[in-house]
């Protein structure tokens, strides 16, 4: 096995995957975007009317991750198995739910310093100068999580795996760099779109309240394309890492 990846090649292949049949990708992503948009607007309504609780916000987070998991399975299948799966067919499937639980476990590993800080911040007095240490620890746990990330494509392909040292890859730092690059790239259109949205909201306040869900659709489409690219990075990195 190769046990390594090319950052440039992985990045190029991932964006090529996104761009290829771009109009079809937009069409295929509509159900996922609509689901998230509806859930987000319900959450926004509950928060605005002071009905939302921490459980409500947690439920939205979990629901979003379930949608992301179905997207991930579809991307892995298309890249690694050369098989096209419709999102609605994979959404809430047993494989997608299993993918979600493992995706959630890796996310918890990555965010563990922030979660511990959130739980203990009212108990312990954490000084601002310790923030840099928290950031370094978060980067470390994120890289650790990425060292286990190939569990996800294995799950999508039906390959057995265990949470042990044998599953740790040697390219966690490269994957962290790749996902950081992808996030920064998608941050640009997100900021441009947000600026446009805020400008429209200021100039046409009454009209904005009516068409806000349309703006939300556009915003979540950017997030959807981001998800596709991230899962494509994981897929191509997996393919390259285990190539002969």
């Amino acid at each position: 096995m190769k046990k390594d990846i090319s950052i440039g090649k992985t990045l190029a292949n991932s964006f090529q995957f996104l761009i290829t049949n771009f109009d079809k990708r937009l069409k295929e992503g509509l159900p996922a975007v609509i689901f998230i948009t509806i859930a987000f607007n319900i959450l926004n309504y509950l928060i605005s009317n002071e009905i939302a609780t921490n459980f409500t916000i947690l439920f939205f987070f979990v629901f979003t991750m379930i949608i992301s998991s179905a997207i991930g399975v579809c991307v892995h299948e298309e890249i690694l198995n050369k098989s096209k799966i419709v999102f609605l067919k994979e959404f809430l499937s047993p494989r997608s739910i299993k993918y979600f639980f493992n995706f959630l476990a890796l996310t918890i590993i990555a965010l563990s310093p922030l979660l511990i800080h959130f739980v203990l911040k009212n108990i312990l007095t954490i000084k601002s100068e310790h923030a840099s240490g928290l950031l370094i620890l978060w980067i470390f746990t994120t890289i650790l999580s990425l060292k286990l990330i190939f569990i996800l494509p294995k799950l999508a392909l039906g390959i057995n795996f265990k949470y042990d040292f044998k599953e740790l890859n040697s390219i966690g730092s490269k994957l962290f760099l790749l996902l950081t690059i992808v996030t920064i790239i998608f941050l640009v259109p997100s900021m441009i779109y947000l600026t446009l949205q805020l400008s429209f909201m200021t100039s046409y306040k009454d009209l904005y309240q009516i068409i806000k869900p349309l703006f939300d659709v556009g915003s979540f489409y950017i997030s959807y394309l981001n998800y596709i690219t991230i899962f494509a990075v994981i897929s191509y990195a997996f393919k390259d890492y285990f190539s002969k």
Side-chain angles (χ1 to χ4, degrees):
M1 291 183 289
K2 189 176 178 182
K3 296 287 185 178
D4 199 7
I5 63 168
S6 166
I7 291 178
K9 180 182 176 184
T10 304
L11 203 59
N13 285 339
S14 300
F15 277 98
Q16 182 62 42
F17 174 80
L18 175 68
I19 294 170
T20 303
N21 298 320
F22 189 72
D23 55 335
K24 288 186 178 179
R25 302 228 178 274
L26 293 178
K27 184 178 178 180
E28 292 165 358
L30 184 60
V33 171
I34 293 298
F35 285 166
I36 296 179
T37 301
I38 292 172
F40 175 77
N41 277 278
I42 291 173
L43 177 65
N44 187 49
Y45 172 80
L46 294 175
I47 292 175
S48 300
N49 290 273
E50 299 182 350
I51 302 173
T53 62
N54 289 335
F55 176 78
T56 312
I57 297 172
L58 179 63
F59 179 81
F60 173 75
F61 172 75
V62 168
F63 183 71
T64 303
M65 284 200 69
I66 291 174
I67 292 174
S68 303
S69 298
I71 295 171
V73 171
C74 292
V75 172
H76 295 324
E77 275 284 351
E78 187 171 351
I79 293 175
L80 301 173
N81 232 8
K82 306 297 181 184
S83 176
K84 190 77 172 176
I85 298 180
V86 180
F87 168 81
L88 287 175
K89 215 171 184 180
E90 191 59 42
F91 182 59
L92 295 180
S93 70
R95 177 171 61 168
S96 179
I97 296 299
K98 188 176 179 181
Y99 190 103
F100 156 71
F101 282 115
N102 286 274
F103 189 21
L104 179 62
L106 296 179
T107 302
I108 291 173
I109 292 172
L111 298 179
S112 55
L114 304 181
L115 295 174
I116 292 171
H117 171 72
F118 177 77
V119 171
L120 298 180
K121 70 177 182 177
N122 294 325
I123 302 174
L124 304 175
T125 303
I126 301 176
K127 297 180 180 179
S128 57
E129 55 263 28
H130 295 155
S132 57
L134 184 66
L135 177 62
I136 292 171
L137 188 58
W138 168 73
I139 292 174
F140 173 78
T141 54
T142 300
I143 291 174
L144 175 62
S145 177
L146 291 172
K147 282 180 171 291
L148 289 165
I149 201 69
F150 290 154
I151 282 173
L152 298 182
K154 281 184 177 181
L155 193 157
L157 296 175
I159 301 173
N160 293 328
F161 62 87
K162 293 181 180 179
Y163 278 89
D164 57 26
F165 287 108
K166 292 180 181 179
E167 290 295 343
L168 293 172
N169 62 63
S170 59
I171 57 167
S173 299
K174 286 187 175 181
L175 288 169
F176 181 79
L177 177 60
L178 277 165
L179 297 187
T180 300
I181 292 172
V182 171
T183 302
I184 292 172
I185 289 173
F186 276 96
L187 190 60
V188 175
S190 295
M191 294 305 295
I192 293 173
Y193 190 82
L194 179 61
T195 302
L196 176 65
Q197 187 174 357
L198 291 174
S199 176
F200 196 92
M201 181 178 64
T202 304
S203 303
Y204 306 96
K205 190 174 181 179
D206 294 334
L207 179 60
Y208 175 78
Q209 297 302 320
I210 299 173
I211 65 172
K212 181 183 177 296
L214 294 178
F215 275 105
D216 293 336
V217 168
S219 179
F220 287 123
Y221 251 121
I222 296 174
S223 298
Y224 170 74
L225 298 176
N226 194 355
Y227 290 150
I228 286 182
T229 311
I230 285 174
F231 287 120
V233 164
I234 295 170
S235 298
Y236 282 112
F238 175 86
K239 188 176 182 181
D240 201 16
Y241 187 81
F242 290 106
S243 64
K244 295 182 180 179

